Amino acid sequence: SQQATLKKLLQSIFHLIESSDAQHTIELLKTTNVDLVLLDAKLKEGHTLPTAEQIRAVLSFEIPLLLITSNLK
């Protein structure tokens, strides 16, 4: 899958921390230093923009937050 390919590529360069739940992601970001956040633009819960806003509230605006997706259908 495209997700697996992206994960394999990124793991070869970076240390990855994954979360499949929006609330868990917010909690992780409160206690973990990160350099970049990749957020699926089509979250399972359907709350992409509110989750992005919550992430922004937790992180410095200097840390990039990228919304990505492989399918916008």
Side-chain angles (χ1 to χ4, degrees):
S1 75
Q2 292 174 340
Q3 181 180 2
T5 302
L6 179 60
K7 180 179 175 180
K8 186 174 182 179
L9 172 66
L10 292 175
Q11 281 181 324
S12 70
I13 303 168
F14 303 105
H15 172 75
L16 298 183
I17 300 170
E18 293 182 81
S19 175
S20 60
D21 172 84
Q23 193 55 42
H24 183 243
T25 300
I26 301 301
E27 294 305 315
L28 273 174
L29 292 172
K30 288 179 182 178
T31 60
T32 307
N33 290 325
V34 298
D35 296 314
L36 170 69
V37 174
L38 297 176
L39 181 64
D40 191 339
K42 297 286 278 188
L43 290 177
K44 293 174 187 166
E45 298 96 350
H47 304 289
T48 302
L49 292 180
T51 299
E53 290 170 352
Q54 289 177 335
I55 289 170
R56 269 289 157 233
V58 171
L59 295 178
S60 163
F61 276 92
E62 297 172 4
I63 296 172
L65 170 62
L66 302 177
L67 296 175
I68 62 171
T69 191
S70 62
N71 187 359
L72 288 175
K73 291 180 184 178

